[in-house]
């Protein structure tokens, strides 16, 4: 059974940085495209970033491009979200997810099969 566990969330000041990690256990997900989503209070869950199975292709939500970087280490069965220049509007619960094996980068949450429990990020002004 696949399990995804996020870590690295917390409280940070406006302009600060955080790195989120998502560790997978159970069957390896090294062949899967992976992604990050977030959900702010009272808002719908939104796409943040995606990465293909070998890390050579990435995709970002336009509002986060240039500030966030998604990466992965298949040897560790882990993927990451480096978040720089954080803003108060980045405050949300961040979820990692696994979609399907291959190169296709998906942007809709219904296209993802496995989900973590979420890690909270709070950016203070």
């Amino acid at each position: 059974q696949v399990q995804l566990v996020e870590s690295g969330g917390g409280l940070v000041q406006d302009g600060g940085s955080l790195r989120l990690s998502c560790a997978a256990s159970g069957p390896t997900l090294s062949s899967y495209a992976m992604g990050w989503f977030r959900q702010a209070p009272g808002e719908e869950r939104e796409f943040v970033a995606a990465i293909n199975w070998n890390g050579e292709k990435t995709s970002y939500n336009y509002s986060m491009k240039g500030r966030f970087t998604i990466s992965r280490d298949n040897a560790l069965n882990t993927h990451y979200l480096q978040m720089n220049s954080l803003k108060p509007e980045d405050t949300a619960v961040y979820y990692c997810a696994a979609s399907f094996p291959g190169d296709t980068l998906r942007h809709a949450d219904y296209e993802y099969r496995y989900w973590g429990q979420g890690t909270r990020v709070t950016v203070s002004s």
Side-chain angles (χ1 to χ4, degrees):
Q1 183 176 352
V2 172
Q3 187 174 17
L4 300 177
V5 179
E6 302 98 334
S7 61
L11 175 64
V12 64
Q13 289 189 329
D14 190 356
S17 297
L18 283 174
R19 188 174 85 151
L20 306 183
S21 299
C22 176
S25 61
T28 181
L29 295 180
S30 60
S31 65
Y32 278 63
M34 307 293 289
W36 288 94
F37 288 75
R38 71 183 187 184
Q39 187 166 21
E43 302 288 333
E44 292 188 354
R45 188 159 53 187
E46 68 173 338
F47 170 77
V48 174
I51 189 166
N52 78 323
W53 72 277
N54 64 2
E56 291 184 355
K57 292 171 54 178
T58 57
S59 178
Y60 296 91
N61 183 309
Y62 179 80
S63 69
M64 301 155 210
K65 193 171 183 178
R67 299 190 298 123
F68 292 8
T69 303
I70 189 171
S71 62
R72 66 189 299 160
D73 186 335
N74 284 342
L76 298 178
N77 219 13
T78 300
H79 75 286
Y80 307 94
L81 184 69
Q82 177 68 43
M83 305 186 294
N84 298 327
S85 303
L86 283 163
K87 307 173 184 180
E89 51 264 44
D90 293 318
T91 294
V93 176
Y94 284 71
Y95 298 90
C96 69
S99 58
F100 294 93
D103 278 334
T104 302
L105 301 181
R106 295 172 167 86
H107 302 90
D109 56 5
Y110 61 81
E111 298 180 289
Y112 285 75
R113 296 178 66 184
Y114 305 109
W115 290 86
Q117 82 290 347
T119 185
R120 186 173 300 276
V121 172
T122 303
V123 185
S124 63
S125 57

